[in-house]
Amino acid sequence: MRIVLVNVPHPSIGSRIPDDHLPPLGLLSIGGPLIDDGHEVSLVDGEFGPAPIPDLVAEIVGRAPDVVMFGHSGSTSGHPVIAEVARLVSETMRGVRIVYGGVFPTYHWREVLAEEPWVAAIVRGEGEETVRRLVAAFEAGGALDHVAGVAFRGADGPRATAAAPVIRDLDAYRIGWELIDHARYSYWGGLRAVVVQFSRGCPHLCTYCGQRGFWTRWRHRDPVLFAKELARLHRERGVRVINFADENPTVSKKAWRAFLEALIAEKVDLILVGSTRADDIVRDADTLHLYKQAGWQRFLLGLENTDEATLELIRKGGRPDVDREAIRLMRRHGILSMATWVIGFEEETDRDLWNGMRKLLSYDPDQIQLLYVTPHRWTPYYRLAAERRVIQTDRRRWDYKHQVLATRHMPPWRTLLWFKLTEAVLQGRPKALRRTYLHPDKGLRHAMRWYAQMGRRVWPYEILNFFFRDRLDASGPTVRAFWGEPQDAEEQSMSADRPERSVARPAA
Ligand code: B12
Ligand code: SF4
């Protein structure tokens, strides 16, 4: 079959501010197995430009596909754009099959299928095997009832089949790198880059996390084969930066060490960046030199908050002393730390935000990334937020960079003020400026300057947007009325082949 994979342009700041674009790994991951099954597959990447919607639609239609597949790493906030493009494609090409996958449709399949008649099928959970079976069913002209892990419109309305099993051997499916021209994709300030996954999932239990349940259980690729793939991308495709999409790549000290050693043995000049947990860094104090030797330049640490009660509420399992120690250890080994910090909890007061900023300062991270609380329906945290008032009803703005929920003690402009003040103080303090402009390590100096340069563009953009563009609705609906009933019972998107983790078949 002729299949076109589509990455739609996302309006979020994360897409628009950097001049760099990363390859859409989710789409490439399903592209590889489809090519291996003999299908004619191509990718249309609307992030470049960004492509105006009519041009994007013309490009897709011009390729005369049998199936058009959508998915986006902005997921929830990318959904309205996908819905628009998919509708226009289906209006122009009657009979084309539209398939949709990724985190958001995995859980919102009922609403998508009910409200968007052009969507033929939704792939729920990880896509590699399910999409192959789905396309085979299309080819056979048969029903989809027997394809595990999909949702479609049955005679009685939207229905889902049994959850697909998790993929045990992640090396069994290859990424369709041939779908992209590597020269067009960059990160870290213009360096040729890819996104990859060593592992999927996370064994921790943070209540607000939408990713842990999506992958259902933690698994990793073969450390040596994975290192070889990165080395090949460097030697044959000139890739310099490897951005890890993993939620938590360091869960197994043994597997992680095996990967680092295998990559060091490849002797390739790569820059590695990604996220992990502070406790893993502290655990690996004796092997951090291997991280550095392998090329690790920055870890994003999800600190989320310094307030013990809030950490308890979100079941982060983090401890301020461990977070602080992780940052210290990373600095000692020449690895940058980026701390994420979440604002917008319901009971937050000026005093909390003042104390939080002071504590954050005492942690002394190299970089920070502030985010707003954004509840996803399939997380346990959603229940706690279900009766809060939604002040941002434009779903494209549910991207963590816009305040979407009212807080009890503060108007949104004051929350924004704290948000921006914290960024300015943390990034603009003399120590941070000295590291940014005078860091003795040339590579880290480049990285810090690149981030600071983006920050200088994002900072006023977000303030101007708040006052002149974004519309906030003081009398918006509750979260429950806006998105629907909690869905945490369906949080695990696949069946894990383990009795204690098996997922109930979702109601049709
Ligand atoms: C790398 C990344 C980015 C990169 C994107 C690079 C790129 N071009 O893709 C950057 C840094 C630019 C980015 C930006 C943003 N991101 Co981001 N990002 C990630 C991250 C870390 C990895 C994504 C990834 O590649 N995963 C690995 C692939 C293999 O998984 P996948 O995409 O889910 O695909 C699998 C399945 O979902 C399915 N599938 C996916 N699509 C499709 C389509 C079809 C047709 C089928 C059949 C199957 C299928 O099959 C795939 C293989 O199993 C995730 C968190 C995570 N660990 O996943 C957040 C994440 C996806 N990002 C998120 C967000 C919010 C954003 C931003 C909106 C943030 C912002 N305000 O700027 C922007 C959006 C802009 C954009 N262009 O994406 C959220 C989405 C939350 C949600 N549930 O709605 C996530 C989940 C982070 C989080 N913890 O919440 N992001
Ligand atoms: S540590 Fe990160 S990936 Fe793991 S559950 Fe918590 S937020 Fe999710």
Side-chain angles (χ1 to χ4, degrees):
M1 286 195 139
R2 189 172 302 153
I3 300 169
V4 174
L5 309 174
V6 184
N7 195 29
V8 298
H10 193 292
S12 82
I13 191 85
S15 285
R16 301 281 67 91
I17 288 286
D19 300 319
D20 292 326
H21 288 292
L22 284 161
L25 178 64
L27 292 173
L28 301 187
S29 301
I30 57 162
L34 288 171
I35 294 170
D36 293 347
D37 277 358
H39 300 293
E40 188 186 327
V41 185
S42 64
L43 171 77
V44 176
D45 195 340
E47 288 282 19
F48 292 101
I53 300 291
D55 296 4
L56 185 61
V57 173
E59 175 71 36
I60 298 165
V61 171
R63 296 190 187 191
D66 302 304
V67 187
V68 183
M69 298 197 172
F70 291 92
H72 198 277
S73 63
S75 212
T76 301
S77 53
H79 173 70
V81 188
I82 288 188
E84 186 189 352
V85 176
R87 176 180 60 81
L88 291 169
V89 168
S90 77
E91 282 172 5
T92 321
M93 283 191 85
R94 296 276 166 208
V96 70
R97 286 190 176 96
I98 298 216
V99 174
Y100 186 13
V103 181
F104 179 81
T106 288
Y107 300 102
H108 282 255
W109 59 271
R110 296 174 185 84
E111 294 78 7
V112 173
L113 289 169
E115 292 157 20
E116 300 169 24
W118 48 85
V119 175
I122 285 172
V123 168
R124 307 183 63 230
E126 59 195 351
E128 287 86 347
E129 183 56 32
T130 305
V131 79
R132 294 180 56 211
R133 295 183 184 196
L134 175 68
V135 174
F138 282 157
E139 270 186 319
L144 304 183
D145 306 62
H146 302 297
V147 182
V150 299
F152 59 97
R153 228 170 280 99
D156 306 325
R159 62 170 309 242
T161 59
V166 294
I167 295 173
R168 283 166 177 275
D169 177 10
L170 293 176
D171 293 295
Y173 301 89
R174 68 175 189 89
I175 298 159
W177 293 121
E178 65 268 48
L179 291 167
I180 58 166
D181 172 2
H182 283 275
R184 298 181 80 197
Y185 291 92
S186 61
Y187 193 57
W188 221 238
L191 302 179
R192 195 173 287 195
V194 289
V195 186
V196 295
Q197 272 181 319
F198 172 59
S199 67
R200 286 182 174 173
C202 175
H204 295 274
L205 295 169
C206 313
T207 57
Y208 61 91
C209 178
Q211 288 306 108
R212 161 178 61 84
F214 180 76
W215 299 116
T216 303
R217 86 193 234 196
W218 191 80
R219 296 145 283 154
H220 65 86
R221 289 186 54 182
D222 178 283
V224 176
L225 293 181
F226 182 63
K228 279 192 192 313
E229 179 166 0
L230 302 192
R232 191 183 59 73
L233 285 167
H234 175 72
R235 293 195 186 105
E236 294 175 13
R237 306 284 168 206
V239 170
R240 285 291 321 285
V241 179
I242 307 288
N243 186 339
F244 281 63
D246 302 46
E247 286 72 29
N248 201 344
T250 53
V251 168
S252 156
K253 179 166 179 146
K254 189 172 161 216
W256 187 243
R257 184 182 181 140
F259 158 66
L260 294 174
E261 286 174 345
L263 190 61
I264 293 166
E266 291 286 344
K267 293 192 171 47
V268 279
D269 181 18
L270 285 172
I271 295 169
L272 313 180
V273 293
S275 311
T276 194
R277 284 181 60 102
D279 34 17
D280 285 7
I281 295 289
V282 174
R283 179 202 67 195
D284 287 356
D286 60 332
T287 47
L288 283 178
H289 62 286
L290 296 178
Y291 285 54
K292 179 69 183 171
Q293 229 178 313
W296 212 279
Q297 279 205 358
R298 185 184 77 187
F299 267 116
L300 182 149
L301 300 175
L303 305 190
E304 324 309 11
N305 214 277
T306 47
D307 176 44
E308 305 252 7
T310 306
L311 289 173
E312 183 56 34
L313 175 78
I314 59 180
R315 291 184 68 191
K316 180 74 197 171
R319 279 203 346 241
D321 56 326
V322 173
D323 292 341
R324 211 176 272 130
E325 176 64 0
I327 291 171
R328 193 189 67 80
L329 282 171
M330 280 167 43
R331 180 161 296 130
R332 218 174 76 200
H333 286 87
I335 300 171
L336 299 176
S337 56
M338 173 191 267
T340 61
W341 189 253
V342 181
I343 281 189
F345 292 98
E346 189 167 18
E347 301 296 340
E348 237 160 40
T349 60
D350 293 307
R351 180 182 290 272
D352 294 329
L353 293 172
W354 167 250
N355 286 339
M357 186 168 72
R358 286 181 48 209
K359 275 197 192 156
L360 202 47
L361 272 171
S362 77
Y363 283 27
D364 193 21
D366 293 307
Q367 299 172 338
I368 52 156
Q369 192 180 107
L370 264 74
L371 306 164
Y372 287 104
V373 169
T374 307
H376 294 302
R377 198 176 149 192
W378 51 93
T379 62
Y381 178 76
Y382 184 87
R383 272 182 196 279
L384 301 178
E387 303 312 324
R388 288 181 67 181
R389 201 143 292 282
V390 170
I391 55 171
Q392 178 52 265
T393 52
D394 180 348
R395 294 172 185 208
R396 291 170 307 167
R397 303 273 182 267
W398 280 62
D399 62 357
Y400 304 144
K401 299 301 281 179
H402 293 83
Q403 185 179 352
V404 293
L405 304 184
T407 60
R408 204 184 292 273
H409 309 292
M410 229 182 280
W413 65 264
R414 216 156 79 220
T415 308
L416 177 85
L417 202 71
W418 278 112
F419 195 103
K420 291 288 141 199
L421 180 72
T422 309
E423 285 178 341
V425 168
L426 265 291
Q427 297 292 160
R429 69 206 151 112
K431 231 187 217 177
L433 291 177
R434 211 169 42 243
R435 285 181 195 135
T436 303
Y437 296 102
L438 302 172
H439 202 292
D441 180 317
K442 196 167 155 236
L444 298 189
R445 202 165 61 232
H446 166 83
M448 297 276 284
R449 282 187 188 186
W450 171 65
Y451 192 66
Q453 195 189 345
M454 273 196 299
R456 277 201 302 274
R457 290 161 70 191
V458 170
W459 202 80
Y461 175 95
E462 287 184 339
I463 296 178
L464 290 175
N465 258 7
F466 179 87
F467 287 108
F468 300 111
R469 238 179 104 202
D470 294 340
R471 304 234 173 288
L472 294 184
D473 184 354
S475 58
T478 62
V479 170
R480 189 192 298 272
F482 188 65
W483 284 116
E485 290 303 315
Q487 240 183 336
D488 46 342
E490 293 174 30
E491 184 188 18
Q492 296 196 338
S493 73
M494 291 165 287
S495 64
D497 311 333
R498 280 191 298 175
E500 77 277 16
R501 288 258 175 131
S502 66
V503 184
R505 187 186 167 128

